């Protein structure tokens, strides 16, 4: 693999109609579901009269949906305002981020970034570039723009790119629509700037149907209809294992990390 | 929350005919805390929790089979087109004409006509946001329903509409019956439902059906096609009541909990 290390300025593609990349916080860190650990703890608390403290995060608490929204302007000096069709959006804290992304070319010259980079830190070709019949061909990067990478030839190739980007972090909070039949928390967040608007329809958290159907459902409390997480298997199908991790006391760097059968 | 599939068809006889199939939501969860409390209550009252069926599981358990009652909603764009239905691994009962209250958001992104996902007998709609044109707020546009199917907007704008309507369609009741023995493993059962309105290849729409997760739990089998249960014991103190939890050796699902004196 060839690694190119450099700080490359990124030119802005003015032809793109989209000016804002709006992204919602990934719900994967939220469970919205009872894990088996949670249910066993709960049964144990009932049987042995122990106190019970939930670790569940649902994304909806006290009938309020709350999530973070990240807005990446493609042009750094773009002036915009964020709004929501329902609930309240607040914040706008400036965040500097470093991203790592694979750009894949499927017999194509161009591939797009998920987020607009301001500086390319380095990139690595993830193997040789192949033409339509499988021959290795020499290819160069023609241009890196605010939206993607353009090669000199159409090839099958993959590049790992590390870059920096900036975004604005907002918080969306929406109460349950008391009178609604369905879609109690649905909302569309949108950014308005001179010349246009970009929007994002808010994705609901996992397990939201429980809350849609039952206004009294509570997250992780001692009542309510929350369900098992199917992804978690208990007991584990594999035997027990030990994880031995050695960390340097001064630098906190990991020296070794191995998992061995118990 | 309803998962859906839509097929838009342009056939010679019914070039604008479309139909959307939606499965009536099934309980995707496994066991709720309410169920756990009920199971513990069963055990405390001297009954076995083995036959307990969770509160929102629409499954009938017989001696040698388990039956799930499902429904599919069909939302045709007109009621003049004759429909024929087909099913795989499920029995279809006589369809019913239904009127169902629905509520949802629609994003208007410079559209003059927005098709609703179903025919409606009545519909209320209102703007959730100001109307924008190229980043500037303009006069709120009048919305009108045409043909019970389309919302028409006199000017191309951006905004979000809240729609509350009575949808008209068909409900097809379905039954899926599975043997409790291990020959028909639940992982191999993939029922589906289709409707056809012509002889052309593309004049049909189909949907794969979700089975209630509680049904798959009831029928879960091991790799070797046998039902198998482990038990774990938890003692409070020597000589006092201990609890035995029976769980599936294959997937760890708790099946039965017993409290007894040592």
């Amino acid at each position: 693999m060839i690694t190119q290390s450099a700080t490359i300025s990124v030119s802005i593609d003015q032809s793109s109609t989209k000016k804002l990349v709006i992204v919602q916080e990934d719900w994967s860190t939220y469970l919205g579901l009872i894990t088996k650990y949670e249910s066993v703890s709960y049964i144990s608390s009932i049987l042995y009269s122990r106190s019970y403290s939930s670790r569940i995060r649902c994304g909806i608490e006290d009938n309020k949906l709350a999530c973070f929204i990240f807005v990446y302007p493609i042009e750094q000096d773009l002036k915009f305002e964020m709004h929501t069709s329902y609930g309240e959006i607040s914040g706008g804290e400036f965040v500097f981020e470093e991203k790592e992304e694979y750009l894949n070319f499927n017999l194509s010259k161009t591939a797009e970034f998920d987020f607009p980079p301001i500086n390319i830190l380095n990139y690595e070709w993830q193997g040789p570039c192949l033409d339509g019949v499988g021959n290795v061909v020499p290819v160069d990067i023609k241009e890196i723009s605010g939206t993607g990478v353009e090669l000199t030839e159409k090839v099958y190739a993959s590049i790992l790119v590390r870059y920096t980007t900036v975004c604005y972090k907002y918080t969306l909070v929406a109460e349950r629509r008391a009178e609604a039949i369905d879609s109690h928390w649905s909302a569309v967040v949108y950014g308005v700037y001179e010349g246009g608007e970009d929007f994002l329809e808010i994705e609901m958290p996992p397990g939201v149907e429980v809350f849609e159907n039952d206004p009294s459902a509570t997250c992780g409390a001692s009542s309510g209809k929350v369900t098992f997480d199917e992804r978690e298997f208990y007991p584990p199908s594999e035997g027990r294992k030990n994880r031995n991790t050695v960390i340097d006391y001064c630098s906190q760097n990991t020296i070794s990390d191995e998992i061995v059968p118990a | 929350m309803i998962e859906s599939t839509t097929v838009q068809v342009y056939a010679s006889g019914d070039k604008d005919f479309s139909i959307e199939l939606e499965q009536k939501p099934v309980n995707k969860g496994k066991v709720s805390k309410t169920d756990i409390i009920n199971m513990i209550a069963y055990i405390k009252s001297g009954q076995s929790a083995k036959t307990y069926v969770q509160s929102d599981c629409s499954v009938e358990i017989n001696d040698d089979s388990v039956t799930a009652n499902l429904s599919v909603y069909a939302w045709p764009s007109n009621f003049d087109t004759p429909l024929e239905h087909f099913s795989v691994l499920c029995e279809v009962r006589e369809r019913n004409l239904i009127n169902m209250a629905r509520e949802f958001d629609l994003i208007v992104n410079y559209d003059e006509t927005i098709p609703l996902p179903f025919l409606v007998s009545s519909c209320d709609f209102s703007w959730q946001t100001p109307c924008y044109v190229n980043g500037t707020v303009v006069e709120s546009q009048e919305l009108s329903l045409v043909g019970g199917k389309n919302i028409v907007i006199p000017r191309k704008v951006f905004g979000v509409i809240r729609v509350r309507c009575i949808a008209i369609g068909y409900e097809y009741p379905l039954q899926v019956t599975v043997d409790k023995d291990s020959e028909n493993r639940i992982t191999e059962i993939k029922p589906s439902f289709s409707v056809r309105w012509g002889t052309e290849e593309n004049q049909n729409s189909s949907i794969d059906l979700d089975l209630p997760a509680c049904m798959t739990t009831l029928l879960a089998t091991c790799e070797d096609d046998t039902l198998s249960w482990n038990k774990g014991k938890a003692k409070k103190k020597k000589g006092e009541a201990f609890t035995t939890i029976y769980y599936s050796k294959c997937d760890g699902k708790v099946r039965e909990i017993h409290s007894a004196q040592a």
Side-chain angles (χ1 to χ4, degrees):
Chain A
M1 266 179 269
I2 302 162
T3 303
Q4 305 280 350
S5 285
T7 300
I8 302 168
S9 294
V10 175
S11 64
I12 302 301
D13 181 3
Q14 299 286 357
S15 63
S16 172
T17 54
K18 198 171 188 177
K19 303 284 186 192
L20 298 171
V21 177
I22 307 173
V23 179
Q24 180 182 350
E25 178 192 25
D26 188 354
W27 286 119
S28 64
T29 54
Y30 285 74
L31 299 170
L33 303 162
I34 294 183
T35 62
K36 292 193 176 60
Y37 171 83
E38 190 77 24
S39 61
V40 169
S41 301
Y42 181 65
I43 291 171
S44 169
S45 71
I46 290 176
L47 294 174
Y48 303 126
S49 304
R50 287 178 183 152
S51 63
Y52 167 72
S53 176
S54 173
R55 300 187 313 162
I56 298 174
R57 302 170 71 207
C58 294
I60 293 176
E61 300 284 350
D62 299 326
N63 275 329
K64 274 186 194 168
L65 175 138
C67 64
F68 293 122
I69 307 293
F70 302 94
V71 182
Y72 299 81
I74 289 173
E75 299 167 26
Q76 295 308 306
D77 55 352
L78 182 74
K79 289 184 170 52
F80 64 94
E81 286 182 4
M82 287 303 295
H83 301 275
T84 179
S85 66
Y86 184 68
E88 287 183 12
I89 190 164
S90 59
E93 176 194 342
F94 184 82
V95 181
F96 188 81
E97 289 184 348
E98 204 170 296
K99 299 276 186 191
E100 192 174 82
E101 191 176 329
Y102 287 94
L103 294 185
N104 297 314
F105 299 83
N106 294 310
L107 203 57
S108 58
K109 272 187 173 180
T110 57
E112 292 189 351
F113 291 113
D114 286 342
F115 306 96
I118 52 170
N119 277 312
I120 306 297
L121 301 176
N122 60 53
Y123 59 90
E124 291 172 18
W125 291 95
Q126 300 296 295
C129 299
L130 305 175
D131 65 12
V133 290
N135 296 322
V136 175
V137 289
V139 171
D140 288 324
I141 290 177
K142 187 177 174 187
E143 188 188 10
I144 299 177
S145 74
T147 53
V149 171
E150 185 178 355
L151 304 179
T152 51
E153 302 290 336
K154 284 185 178 178
V155 286
Y156 291 105
S158 181
I159 307 176
L160 174 63
V161 185
R162 293 183 187 88
Y163 60 89
T164 54
T165 185
V166 293
C167 72
Y168 296 86
K169 183 180 177 183
Y170 293 85
T171 304
L172 173 73
V173 177
E175 300 250 4
R176 181 187 173 91
R177 290 177 171 98
E179 303 300 323
I181 299 163
D182 199 354
S183 309
H184 291 88
W185 292 274
S186 63
V188 179
V189 292
Y190 58 97
V192 180
Y193 48 85
E194 189 180 338
E197 313 82 19
D198 288 316
F199 62 91
L200 176 76
E201 191 168 7
I202 296 298
E203 182 193 341
M204 293 294 117
V208 70
E209 60 274 10
V210 172
F211 298 92
E212 290 275 11
N213 298 330
D214 181 4
S216 66
T218 50
C219 179
S222 58
S223 63
K225 295 175 183 173
V226 270
T227 49
F228 279 107
D229 183 352
E230 290 183 52
R231 295 165 298 184
E232 188 194 16
F233 294 98
Y234 177 84
S237 55
E238 295 180 10
R240 281 186 58 193
K241 289 178 180 172
N242 289 334
R243 182 169 191 163
N244 302 321
T245 306
V246 180
I247 295 174
D248 182 83
Y249 180 79
C250 300
S251 66
Q252 289 294 300
N253 290 333
T254 302
I255 297 168
S256 68
D257 186 11
E258 57 178 3
I259 297 172
V260 293
Chain B
M1 289 273 116
I2 293 176
E3 291 175 4
S4 64
T5 177
T6 308
V7 174
Q8 186 82 37
V9 171
Y10 298 95
S12 54
D14 272 315
K15 77 180 179 107
D16 291 329
F17 183 79
S18 66
I19 191 162
E20 181 174 352
L21 298 180
E22 296 179 329
Q23 184 177 1
K24 186 178 180 179
V26 294
N27 173 27
K28 288 186 180 172
K30 297 202 180 309
V31 182
S32 71
K33 282 185 179 173
T34 309
D35 292 310
I36 293 170
I37 292 165
N38 289 343
M39 288 168 77
I40 291 171
Y42 264 53
I43 295 158
K44 282 182 176 171
S45 66
Q47 298 178 58
S48 168
K50 206 164 187 171
T51 54
Y52 174 76
V53 178
Q54 64 193 82
S55 47
D56 51 355
C57 178
S58 60
V59 168
E60 294 166 14
I61 303 174
N62 305 310
D63 287 342
D64 54 0
S65 65
V66 177
T67 300
N69 295 305
L70 310 173
S71 281
V72 166
Y73 301 126
W75 307 110
S77 59
N78 70 57
F79 287 90
D80 301 328
T81 305
L83 296 174
E84 200 177 355
H85 63 256
F86 299 91
S87 63
V88 176
L89 291 173
C90 59
E91 186 185 331
V92 186
R93 295 187 173 170
E94 192 176 347
R95 73 184 183 192
N96 306 307
L97 188 66
I98 55 165
N99 291 279
M100 185 182 288
R102 305 293 295 265
E103 187 168 341
F104 51 94
D105 289 341
L106 275 182
I107 299 170
V108 180
N109 193 17
Y110 295 88
D111 309 289
E112 287 176 315
T113 301
I114 303 181
L116 293 172
F118 21 66
L119 279 170
V120 297
S121 61
S122 65
C123 199
D124 294 325
F125 29 73
S126 57
W127 288 103
Q128 296 286 287
T129 63
C131 293
Y132 296 89
V133 174
N134 297 332
T136 305
V137 175
V138 297
E139 190 182 347
S140 200
Q141 298 296 297
E142 192 179 334
L143 302 166
S144 49
L145 180 69
V146 175
K149 178 71 178 160
N150 295 303
I151 292 179
V152 174
I153 307 159
R155 183 180 176 186
K156 287 183 177 179
V157 295
F158 170 81
V160 180
I161 303 171
R162 185 76 173 172
V163 180
R164 188 171 188 154
C165 60
I166 304 294
I168 320 166
Y170 296 115
E171 180 178 4
Y172 289 88
L174 310 169
Q175 271 200 337
V176 180
T177 301
V178 182
D179 289 343
K180 270 162 64 176
D181 68 37
S182 57
E183 285 180 15
N184 296 317
R185 291 186 58 185
I186 196 68
T187 49
E188 294 163 12
I189 298 168
K190 290 176 182 164
S192 64
F193 175 79
S194 311
V195 290
R196 176 177 283 279
W197 55 91
T199 54
E200 298 294 321
E201 194 179 337
N202 58 355
Q203 289 180 315
N204 69 82
S205 176
S206 61
I207 185 170
D208 292 330
L209 301 171
D210 285 335
L211 291 174
C214 56
M215 184 174 187
T216 60
T217 304
L218 283 165
L219 295 169
T221 56
C222 292
E223 289 295 320
D224 60 357
D225 283 349
T226 56
L227 275 169
S228 164
W229 304 96
N230 270 1
K231 63 181 180 179
K233 287 183 181 177
K235 270 189 187 178
K236 190 178 181 187
K237 277 184 185 174
K238 194 178 179 184
E240 292 189 1
F242 63 87
T243 305
T244 306
I245 299 173
Y246 291 85
Y247 59 89
S248 166
K249 219 161 72 172
C250 314
D251 59 10
K253 305 289 182 300
V254 173
R255 175 60 67 96
E256 190 167 349
I257 304 166
H258 277 297
S259 291
Q261 286 299 122

